[in-house]
DNA sequence: ATTAATTGGTTAAACGTTTAAGCAGTTCTT
DNA sequence: AAGAACTGCTTAAACGTTTAACCAATTAAT
């Protein structure tokens, strides 16, 4: 079949026309402008309650907008304004009560100031975290609030955020070297609170299943544990200190090891609730009684700590406050863009929730 | 102080210049073009490996892009292309293992096809759900995958998604009336599986704490329960059927009521794991033994069901498959935009995980 | 009665990309 | 040798908003 070039061009035009017709192109500001015989600029201004537009016109614009089911195009306005009003949030896992609660509170604060959030999860993976950051930067977020993955050591992708000139706020899992805002609890002091409590209950041989020391917060908990023992003039026994990835499974394994010792510890302070749960199971399987034979303290105040038997003493991390403050910190950075980012730590005191496992 | 209009204009120009300089404006395609003395169009094509650009130019473009730390602007490309490559995901809660796992699997599938996801949580609130939908539409997502909030009865905001012509996929909590794709498990049949199991263990007086019947999935579980009893020629006792919001607390309350009956039931089938946990607590507090005095079955296979004592028999909802299939359904809708959306149900069989509470 | 200020808009450019169309220059056909 | 086809770009318009600059008409100030 031979078809002239002209025919081809016409066919293309036609197909475009049909496409537009079928997809019944979204209504834009121009459609409103046309139907009211005013300029698109006037419509835009009317929508934003510009004082230079008459009340009558504003009303008409809003009426027609509703009639035509107009929805503003974020891409266009964000592109033009150079501001997306989107905040990226990176968490290691969403299915933890702590992170879920932090995010919820952040969202509440940010929504009030006209920001929406995009949640991404790193699944504790360094690669996924890098990808998340790329996605967020690509989406042109106005800032990023993040809690670092366990695996993360190399910080170059976080530097990338800083180099873009948008605010970066870290919470819970932070890193001093980045020199950015940080919101979290006082991990060092939390360990002191826990040890004080256990000592007051008569414990003398307290074990610690901690997270990896390369992660700052876990290192701080470890330091707090060691210093608190010193304060109470208890001997420091290296075999009572174990690093763990703090999953249930690893909590079980490490507790098994601790119960092989002779004498066994009279208390275990676990730096994460899930691992504490694993410890609880193993202790009971061995026929030992909690808290009589051995006391147990977790960290994080996950809901299940008050649901298992016995209920587990734990540290509440004040997730509401952390979420709110991280969001507010972001907002203040946005409002003062000239102020250079510096290491600005906002530290909360944590609360010890005493339950059956250490009574 | 008197300042001429001209001076004012000059000042404004200056301030804009300074602003650009201070914010060291992000590098764009034009910067690359200038530095190579080619057109911006050529750069764009080189980036996308257009066959009409020479290998030499492509290489040069990519090199300079890296040198200048170029990051494409999603807003601009999405605006131009009319496609954001973003998928909105709405879940009732992120801190549930089921939803978290579904989302994770969705993300995996979608990322492979070049899509990124934006997660929003409705917190089971109707209003928040509407807001989420508005945000997502405003962000120009290419589609929405959602699980409905408990509160939701009015479906007009979901109709709004449909009217935009972008794909809407529902999972777990769906609604026939919307006439869109749905991915979930066979709730009706799940009840049959549970009742079959309990009957085989000798139960004759099986109670059911279900969700609100206005939610389709809970209604289906209820129907399945009733029909399964009939099948086994067990009497239907209305006092054994209770509707609940399925929180731990309500699980406790409703179980208290059931244990007031005479005779008490010999099994309780609870339509949600959290409520089942509440039931477990109350039963034990009353001094009754599980499974000897009374058997217990939950729904959802939340991790804690295998962590409490006794471990709780539950239904696994196949979250991985649901996530993957919801994503794939979205992709196939995108690839065949002309096909009209219809009620297209993809139903999985659920798996019963038998544990101590019903042995 | 001028000039100045206010009102209620309009025009046009810009944000950063993509893409249809065009166009030299070279190479291949026949 | 003349046209066809290919190569490797360039030009310019478009996506939907926002906004600086401008302007005509009205009202206020002196």
């Amino acid at each position: 079949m031979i078809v002239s070039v002209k025919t081809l061009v016409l066919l293309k035009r036609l197909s475009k026309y049909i496409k537009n017709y079928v997809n019944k192109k979204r209504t834009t500001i121009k459609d409103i402008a046309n139907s009211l015989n005013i300029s698109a600029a006037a419509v835009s201004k009317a929508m934003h309650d510009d004082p230079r537009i008459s009340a009558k016109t504003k009303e008409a614009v809003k009426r027609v907008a509703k009639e035509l089911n107009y929805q503003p195009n974020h891409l266009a306005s964000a592109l033009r304004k150079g501001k997306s009003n989107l905040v990226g949030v990176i968490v290691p896992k969403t299915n933890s009560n702590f992170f879920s609660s932090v995010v919820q509170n952040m969202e509440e604060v940010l929504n009030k100031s006209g920001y929406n959030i995009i949640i991404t999860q790193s699944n504790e993976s360094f690669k996924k975290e890098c990808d998340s950051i790329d996605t967020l930067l690509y989406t042109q977020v106005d800032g990023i609030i993040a809690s670092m993955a366990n695996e993360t050591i190399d910080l170059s992708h976080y530097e990338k955020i800083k180099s873009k000139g948008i605010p970066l706020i870290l919470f819970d899992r932070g890193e001093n070297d980045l020199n950015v805002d940080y919101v979290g609890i006082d991990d060092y002091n939390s360990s002191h609170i826990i040890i004080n409590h256990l000592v007051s209950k008569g414990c003398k041989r307290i074990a610690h299943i901690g997270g990896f020391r390369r992660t700052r917060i876990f290192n701080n908990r470890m330091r707090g544990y060691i210093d608190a023992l010193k304060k109470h003039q208890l001997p420091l026994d290296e075999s009572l200190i174990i690093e763990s990835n703090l999953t249930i499974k690893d909590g079980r394994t490490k507790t098994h090891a601790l119960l092989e010792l002779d004498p066994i510890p009279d208390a275990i302070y676990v730096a994460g609730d899930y691992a504490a749960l694993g410890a609880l199971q193993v202790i009971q399987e061995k026929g030992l009684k909690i808290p009589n034979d051995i006391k147990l303290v977790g960290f994080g105040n996950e809901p299940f700590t008050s649901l298992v038997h016995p209920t587990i003493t734990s540290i509440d991390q004040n997730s509401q406050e952390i979420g709110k403050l991280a969001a507010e910190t972001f907002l203040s950075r946005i409002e003062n863009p000239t102020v250079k980012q510096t290491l600005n730590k906002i530290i909360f005191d944590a609360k010890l929730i005493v339950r059956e496992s250490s009574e």
Side-chain angles (χ1 to χ4, degrees), chain A:
Chain A
M1 189 170 70
I2 294 170
V3 180
S4 82
V5 174
K6 275 223 164 173
T7 312
L8 265 176
V9 168
L10 276 172
L11 272 173
K12 280 208 172 168
R13 289 247 173 85
L14 186 63
S15 91
K16 188 177 174 186
Y17 183 78
I18 289 174
K19 206 171 128 200
N20 282 353
Y21 185 78
V22 168
N23 295 10
K24 48 179 170 183
K25 289 180 69 62
R26 15 181 34 271
T27 76
T28 75
I29 225 173
K30 273 187 189 167
D31 301 325
I32 301 175
N34 287 338
S35 96
L36 286 172
N37 260 334
I38 56 176
S39 71
V43 175
S44 171
K45 285 176 182 163
M47 293 288 205
H48 295 87
D49 276 325
D50 188 298
R52 302 296 289 272
I53 301 293
S54 71
K56 204 178 62 182
T57 307
K58 280 180 189 170
E59 203 198 352
V61 164
K62 284 170 187 171
R63 182 173 44 73
V64 174
K66 189 159 272 176
E67 270 170 25
L68 299 184
N69 198 16
Y70 169 74
Q71 183 119 31
N73 186 324
H74 167 251
L75 300 172
S77 81
L79 174 61
R80 172 60 229 251
K81 292 199 290 191
K83 192 158 181 315
S84 68
N85 274 44
L86 251 32
V87 180
V89 177
I90 306 175
V91 292
K93 286 249 167 220
T94 61
N95 65 337
S96 123
N97 214 66
F98 172 68
F99 286 120
S100 162
S101 164
V102 167
V103 168
Q104 205 171 310
N105 283 279
M106 268 178 198
E107 198 175 6
E108 215 165 282
V109 172
L110 292 174
N111 283 348
K112 271 185 197 141
S113 296
Y115 287 89
N116 283 112
I117 69 172
I118 302 184
I119 311 168
T120 62
Q121 44 185 343
S122 67
N123 294 326
E124 299 285 13
S125 141
F126 174 69
K127 188 181 172 331
K128 189 77 184 31
E129 188 172 83
C130 294
D131 289 350
S132 289
I133 290 179
D134 279 337
T135 303
L136 291 175
L137 290 178
Y138 178 54
T139 316
Q140 310 293 124
V141 294
D142 290 341
I144 291 182
I145 305 180
S147 190
M148 290 167 49
N150 251 330
E151 281 182 24
T152 301
I153 301 173
D154 177 9
L155 300 176
S156 54
H157 53 306
Y158 279 106
E159 293 289 354
K160 200 160 144 192
I161 301 175
K162 285 181 67 182
S163 78
K164 291 279 165 199
I166 64 173
L168 167 62
I169 321 285
L170 296 176
F171 70 95
D172 191 48
R173 313 252 198 92
E175 184 53 67
N176 287 345
D177 298 352
L178 274 167
N179 269 313
V180 295
D181 295 307
Y182 172 80
V183 182
I185 58 159
D186 188 336
D187 290 284
Y188 178 82
N189 193 242
S190 297
S191 288
H192 273 84
I193 296 172
I194 290 169
I195 302 301
N196 290 348
H197 166 68
L198 288 173
V199 166
S200 80
K201 292 288 174 184
C203 298
K204 292 188 156 39
R205 192 166 156 72
I206 304 170
H208 179 43
I209 300 179
F212 295 117
R213 296 195 66 157
R214 61 158 189 262
T215 306
R216 223 179 36 76
I217 60 171
F218 294 124
N219 189 38
N220 286 345
R221 290 179 200 174
M222 188 77 79
R223 279 179 39 240
Y225 160 82
I226 292 170
D227 290 356
L229 288 190
K230 269 188 206 147
K231 196 181 72 185
H232 288 286
Q233 290 160 339
L234 290 174
L236 188 65
D237 183 345
E238 285 292 343
S239 61
L240 293 181
I241 305 180
I242 305 186
E243 285 185 46
S244 158
N245 66 12
L246 298 179
T247 58
I248 294 182
K249 201 173 160 194
D250 206 48
R252 292 183 59 96
T253 312
K254 304 302 197 242
T255 305
H256 261 296
L258 285 175
L259 297 184
E260 295 292 314
L261 297 175
D262 184 25
I264 64 164
D266 56 11
I268 307 182
Y269 155 32
V270 189
D273 277 336
Y274 281 95
L277 183 59
L280 178 135
Q281 292 172 356
V282 169
I283 293 168
Q284 290 181 329
E285 283 162 22
K286 289 265 181 184
L288 295 167
K289 291 288 172 208
I290 305 176
N292 295 349
D293 298 330
I294 192 165
K295 300 197 197 313
L296 182 66
V297 176
F299 207 108
N301 201 24
E302 286 290 328
F304 67 77
T305 52
S306 62
L307 303 176
V308 290
H309 278 285
T311 55
I312 304 175
T313 296
S314 191
I315 285 278
D316 186 81
Q317 297 184 82
N318 233 321
S319 50
Q320 300 92 18
E321 287 303 311
I322 291 186
K324 277 184 198 157
L325 259 149
E328 282 161 8
T329 306
F330 162 79
L331 290 174
S332 79
R333 282 287 174 200
I334 283 287
E335 276 158 27
N336 311 307
T338 49
V339 180
K340 217 182 142 240
Q341 293 219 11
T342 51
L343 180 60
N344 171 26
K345 289 188 173 192
I346 301 166
I347 305 292
F348 283 95
D349 266 340
K351 269 200 309 287
L352 183 71
I353 315 288
V354 179
R355 297 203 182 87
E356 295 163 2
S357 72
S358 69
E359 281 291 5

